[in-house]
Amino acid sequence: MSTEDTTVTDKKSPGLQELTVRGIILGGLITLVFTAANVYLGLKVGLTFATAIPAAVISMSILRYFANHTVVENNIVQTIASAAGTLSAIIFVLPGLIMVGWWTGFPYWITVAVCAIGGILGVMYSIPLRRALVTGSDLPYPEGVAAAEVLRVGDTTQGAEENRGGLRIILIGSVVAAAFNLLANLKLISNSLAGAVKVGAGGTMWGASLSLALIGVGHLVGLTVGIAMLIGLVISFGIILPIQSNGNLPAGEALLDGVSSIFSSDVRFVGAGAIAVAAIWTLLKIIGPIIKGIKTAMVSASSRRKGSSVELTEQDIPITYVGLVIVVALIPIGLLLWDFVHNTALHGTATGIIAVSIILVFVIGLVVAAVCGYMAGLIGSSNSPISGVGILVVLIAALLIKMVYGDATDAQNTALIAFTLFTTAVIFGVATISNDNLQDLKTGQLVGATPWKQQVALVIGVLFGSAVIPPILQLMQTAFGFVGAPGAGEDALAAPQAALISSLAKGVFGSDLDWNLIGVGALIGIAVIVVDEVLTRTTNSKFRLPPLAVGMGMYLPISLTLVIPIGAILGTFYNKWAEKSGVEVERKKRMGVLLATGLIVGESLFGVVFAGIVAATDDENPLAVVGSGFEKISEYLGVIVFVAVIAWLYKKTQQIAAKPAEGESVKLDKR
């Protein structure tokens, strides 16, 4: 075999192209697809997916037709796409402004500004953290390492063959997922099951969303997180919901409606308490490395100013520029907050809360950047439930703003709730980007990228995402609306995190938040932390119980939570098949990751297209070809088709994953 076929680029030479115009354009185009998919998925099920690996595969499949393409140029493309895709997690907060009745839509330029400023702050805050949490840490960064492996393997002739197979798997998964949802919207099959059962004088509920995207999510998060979510589900729906509903079910109301209402009003706040404690624990564990990393970054900047040589692969955007950008960014944040309260019940009395909100963004921004970066390094961006940080942030923000403002009228309280959500949205922009940036910087470190160029690419990705997110959000609002918002229809999107975060803000300002429920959740969270620490130390991290994942399982609806562990189990069986084969195991596992990504992208993009049809026709079921009398049959058909499609997809993926290995062996024998 020739050297050209086997060489993998680990470190680049100065002449290699990296931050190029064509790379920026390609990254922007990929951004459009993945950001739209993530916005829809996040609003529907409260989860988003990491886009680095599929973006890398698509980038390499396209750039290989251009001259002088390089592994570090492909790295820039995936950096732009993944940054923009991750920023879409801002939807965990912004719909809350519609849910509380403050906004009736998403004003484009204001939404762009919130996303862009929060995202750029996230990039800046993550720069000094690179040395603490990437180069000076033993965190695994599973998705960052996997993306680097994809890029390095793709830089070989054999890798080009793999890219073609991977792209084929993404397309198959996407088309099948879209087709399944088309059948569901034709009402020929059902894509959801739900019911309730009596438990003494109370009850509980069961349900499952027949969603191929959720199967993909489960495959990506893995068995440990899947089991943790399942345990959270058992705690909420097997223990807490029957207790809370005992003797409290409204007379004459359907059992399912009654227990659903109690879950929304009581049980999910227990989950919020568990998530808040888990987020605090994470911060306490990493505060030392964070301080050390900031000191190291300052020393490096000082050395460069004195003329000392710093390796190309260690050159960040200078810390002085980082600090300047952070300080300057606080000015438009202040203007946004002032504009938000202008001509409202807070006008003329908001100086104090604007000042405290700016300080909050400045200080808490760094804290959440560190927490989210650490979580991404530990379990990956896809697995990192940054919504837990959002819950903690909105509670802190609401309590501080209420304390600073003092007594308020009903009209002022309503405005204060909206103001708190708006401030939280800016901080959440910081969190979402930090959750992704360090993962990308780990990929860059492994392929020999220049950190400052990658950090510029991250800012570009933020700007692309900021331009794309508002119109997609507006489309979702026009077509479906959000559960709990004024005028929401039967098919309104759940937007579970936004609903929870807005409820917490309302509870604080209305003084009717049941702190006992949050306290119970906090105690459960402490117990889970203890169990996780014991398992980690006694099994050398072989077995774990991630506290944040347990909290997610506690507060997400059962229809969403139940299917994700199934996907995790399927992914585990697929990976065991890959390991058992003994040949190109990691490549075969990557093919499974690409199938999962295809399922998510296909279902999500169909959802965006369907939203456009609903908005254009002003009909919630514009594609339905059968009436409600077919509903029971459609449920049976839905389960049968769902199971059959999943079995076929994994079998097909195994076949495609096996063929390139065999084909390469034949080529080697002939040579």
Side-chain angles (χ1 to χ4, degrees):
M1 184 179 286
S2 67
T3 305
E4 179 180 299
D5 288 340
T6 58
T7 300
V8 175
T9 305
D10 287 314
K11 298 290 180 183
K12 65 181 189 307
S13 63
L16 291 182
Q17 298 192 92
E18 188 167 3
L19 187 61
T20 62
V21 173
R22 69 189 183 191
I24 292 172
I25 293 172
L26 180 57
L29 292 174
I30 296 174
T31 287
L32 180 62
V33 175
F34 285 145
T35 302
N38 256 334
V39 169
Y40 177 78
L41 185 71
L43 291 174
K44 182 180 180 183
V45 305
L47 296 166
T48 56
F49 67 100
T51 58
I53 292 176
V57 170
I58 294 171
S59 172
M60 289 184 295
S61 298
I62 294 173
L63 283 185
R64 68 189 182 88
Y65 292 107
F66 292 83
N68 303 319
H69 62 86
T70 66
V71 65
V72 287
E73 184 181 19
N74 280 307
N75 177 56
I76 289 293
V77 175
Q78 73 84 16
T79 296
I80 291 172
S82 63
T86 302
L87 185 62
S88 59
I90 194 77
I91 59 169
F92 291 165
V93 181
L94 281 179
L97 288 165
I98 289 180
M99 292 176 172
V100 300
W102 190 259
W103 280 358
T104 56
F106 295 93
Y108 182 79
W109 289 112
I110 291 177
T111 309
V112 166
V114 170
C115 294
I117 297 170
I120 290 171
L121 272 177
V123 175
M124 295 301 114
Y125 277 136
S126 67
I127 290 172
L129 296 176
R130 184 185 72 85
R131 296 175 184 272
L133 299 180
V134 178
T135 58
S137 165
D138 59 357
L139 288 170
Y141 286 98
E143 289 165 359
V145 172
E149 182 63 18
V150 168
L151 287 167
R152 289 190 291 190
V153 171
D155 205 37
T156 66
T157 300
Q158 181 181 352
E161 295 295 325
E162 179 184 330
N163 290 341
R164 280 195 285 270
L167 193 58
R168 185 182 173 196
I169 288 175
I170 290 177
L171 289 173
I172 290 173
S174 297
V175 170
V176 171
F180 184 87
N181 276 271
L182 174 60
L183 291 175
N185 282 287
L186 292 170
K187 301 300 180 183
L188 296 174
I189 62 173
S190 175
N191 58 1
S192 64
L193 305 169
V197 292
K198 289 281 289 182
V199 180
T204 189
M205 56 195 292
W206 59 271
S209 176
L210 303 181
S211 165
L212 292 173
L214 289 181
I215 294 294
V217 169
H219 186 124
L220 292 177
V221 301
L223 192 60
T224 298
V225 172
I227 290 174
M229 291 185 73
L230 200 57
I231 290 172
L233 182 152
V234 171
I235 292 172
S236 279
F237 294 92
I239 301 173
I240 300 174
L241 183 55
I243 291 174
Q244 285 297 113
S245 62
N246 188 49
N248 293 324
L249 293 173
E253 188 174 6
L255 180 60
L256 180 58
D257 293 337
V259 294
S260 293
S261 175
I262 291 172
F263 169 76
S264 298
S265 62
D266 292 359
V267 178
R268 65 180 182 173
F269 288 103
V270 179
I275 289 173
V277 166
I280 293 171
W281 174 248
T282 301
L283 174 63
L284 293 175
K285 290 178 72 173
I286 63 170
I287 192 70
I290 290 167
I291 295 172
K292 182 180 177 182
I294 293 172
K295 288 180 179 177
T296 305
M298 293 174 71
V299 170
S300 175
S302 177
S303 298
R304 288 174 68 182
R305 282 197 303 271
K306 293 175 181 177
S308 299
S309 176
V310 177
E311 283 188 39
L312 204 61
T313 54
E314 285 298 320
Q315 292 181 8
D316 294 296
I317 294 175
I319 196 71
T320 49
Y321 294 167
V322 171
L324 181 63
V325 171
I326 290 172
V327 172
V328 169
L330 297 178
I331 297 172
I333 289 173
L335 292 174
L336 278 172
L337 294 172
W338 177 85
D339 180 70
F340 192 82
V341 300
H342 187 60
N343 292 330
T344 71
L346 300 178
H347 184 67
T349 61
T351 303
I353 60 172
I354 290 174
V356 79
S357 295
I358 293 172
I359 295 170
L360 199 64
V361 171
F362 179 71
V363 177
I364 300 297
L366 181 57
V367 173
V368 299
V371 171
C372 293
Y374 179 85
M375 291 192 297
L378 184 66
I379 58 176
S381 301
S382 297
N383 303 351
S384 179
I386 57 172
S387 52
V389 177
I391 290 166
L392 195 58
V393 168
V394 77
L395 283 173
I396 294 171
L399 290 170
L400 277 175
I401 290 170
K402 182 177 182 179
M403 181 178 68
V404 170
Y405 194 84
D407 295 334
T409 64
D410 289 343
Q412 288 171 333
N413 263 335
T414 302
L416 286 169
I417 291 168
F419 182 84
T420 300
L421 292 176
F422 193 73
T423 302
T424 302
V426 177
I427 299 173
F428 209 73
V430 176
T432 60
I433 288 300
S434 303
N435 187 50
D436 173 77
N437 279 9
L438 295 177
Q439 197 83 248
D440 287 329
L441 291 171
K442 181 65 177 181
T443 301
Q445 178 203 17
L446 294 174
V447 300
T450 307
W452 75 262
K453 291 182 180 179
Q454 202 172 359
Q455 288 152 7
V456 170
L458 288 166
V459 172
I460 293 170
V462 165
L463 296 176
F464 275 132
S466 300
V468 171
I469 289 169
I472 299 172
L473 272 174
Q474 186 57 53
L475 179 61
M476 297 297 110
Q477 159 64 9
T478 303
F480 304 119
F482 306 111
V483 172
E490 183 180 322
D491 296 323
L493 296 166
Q497 281 89 343
L500 178 58
I501 286 172
S502 57
S503 295
L504 288 169
K506 285 193 288 186
V508 170
F509 286 101
S511 300
D512 57 358
L513 185 62
D514 193 336
W515 289 99
N516 291 328
L517 293 174
I518 294 176
V520 169
L523 291 175
I524 293 172
I526 292 170
V528 172
I529 288 169
V530 171
V531 171
D532 181 50
E533 288 295 311
V534 170
L535 287 173
T536 301
R537 296 177 185 182
T538 57
T539 68
N540 198 24
S541 299
K542 184 178 180 181
F543 297 106
R544 291 204 53 217
L545 188 64
L548 284 161
V550 174
M552 287 276 286
M554 289 173 64
Y555 86 78
L556 283 177
I558 191 171
S559 61
L560 307 180
T561 311
L562 189 61
V563 181
I564 293 173
I566 294 173
I569 293 168
L570 289 170
T572 301
F573 278 119
Y574 176 86
N575 288 338
K576 286 188 179 297
W577 164 82
E579 291 166 0
K580 193 175 179 181
S581 71
V583 179
E584 295 185 306
V585 173
E586 292 305 315
R587 182 186 61 77
K588 290 176 179 176
K589 287 183 178 180
R590 285 196 297 272
M591 293 298 182
V593 169
L594 295 176
L595 170 65
T597 302
L599 296 179
I600 294 169
V601 169
E603 180 172 320
S604 302
L605 290 183
F606 177 85
V608 174
V609 172
F610 182 70
I613 297 171
V614 171
T617 60
D618 199 25
D619 181 355
E620 291 185 357
N621 297 299
L623 303 180
V625 295
V626 294
S628 57
F630 194 71
E631 188 174 335
K632 205 65 184 175
I633 298 174
S634 72
E635 289 183 358
Y636 292 122
L637 287 175
V639 173
I640 294 169
V641 173
F642 187 65
V643 172
V645 162
I646 292 171
W648 181 83
L649 282 168
Y650 273 99
K651 188 68 177 175
K652 187 69 175 176
T653 302
Q654 287 177 335
Q655 291 172 353
I656 295 174
K659 281 181 181 177
E662 294 168 3
E664 187 64 23
S665 297
V666 171
K667 284 195 287 185
L668 286 170
D669 291 341
K670 287 181 179 179
R671 291 182 185 181

